[in-house]
Amino acid sequence: MTKQELIDLAFTAMENAYAPYSNYHVGACVLCKDGRTYLGANIENASFGLTNCAERSAIFSAYSNGVRKDDIEALAIVSDGPYVAAPCGACRQVLCELMNEDTPIHLSNRKETCTKTISELLPMSFGGKDLEG
Ligand code: THU
């Protein structure tokens, strides 16, 4: 699958966003090395803190189906916002736990696309290594 096809799948996922409060729709897609894909969208709640971001929806879906970090080829996160869909801080922490540090993360708002890794998005992260010993 090309990068653009993965981004297009994330835009398809975005159509299922449930965002009546912010009206900001986000989509995401995890692509596995064997070609499997897992879609996610942001799902809001009237108790705002319970909202689930699109990239967490997608990666939790992948993990729920047995995917692990070494299986993941790439992740795409998209929105129709004025800037590329940079993941929030909470999502960066979750992606740091659940993705390899060099796996590409494509961010797009249709007009512009850039590719980052989680180690670029969340340098000097806290993780399991800090709890060892
Ligand atoms: N949102 C995401 O889905 N991903 C992010 O990384 C940033 C924020 C969602 C959460 C909420 O539904 C809406 O965007 C506005 O914050």
Side-chain angles (χ1 to χ4, degrees):
M1 181 180 299
T2 66
K3 178 173 93 172
Q4 191 55 51
E5 284 170 338
L6 177 58
I7 288 169
D8 289 345
L9 275 178
F11 276 112
T12 299
M14 194 181 82
E15 292 171 15
N16 291 326
Y18 174 75
Y21 305 106
S22 73
N23 205 32
Y24 183 75
H25 295 187
V26 186
C29 184
V30 172
L31 171 65
C32 294
K33 291 172 183 168
D34 66 3
R36 285 178 296 165
T37 54
Y38 295 91
L39 304 185
N42 55 325
I43 307 297
E44 297 188 344
N45 193 284
S47 177
F48 297 159
L50 299 181
T51 291
N52 212 57
C53 291
E55 51 273 60
R56 273 183 288 148
S57 298
I59 204 151
F60 289 163
S61 173
Y63 265 68
S64 298
N65 284 282
V67 170
R68 291 296 178 263
K69 56 173 69 174
D70 287 343
D71 304 321
I72 299 175
E73 176 84 23
L75 167 68
I77 309 169
V78 307
S79 76
D80 273 332
Y83 307 106
V84 293
C88 76
C91 285
R92 291 178 198 215
Q93 179 67 25
V94 169
L95 296 177
C96 186
E97 175 89 23
L98 302 180
M99 292 181 73
N100 284 325
E101 62 180 10
D102 56 350
T103 300
I105 302 174
H106 306 302
L107 309 173
S108 181
N109 68 342
R110 294 188 207 272
K111 297 180 208 91
E112 199 186 338
T113 297
C114 68
T115 301
K116 300 287 182 190
T117 64
I118 194 56
S119 52
E120 290 172 322
L121 293 172
L122 188 64
M124 204 176 161
S125 61
F126 177 82
K129 66 183 186 316
D130 297 294
L131 301 176
E132 285 165 11

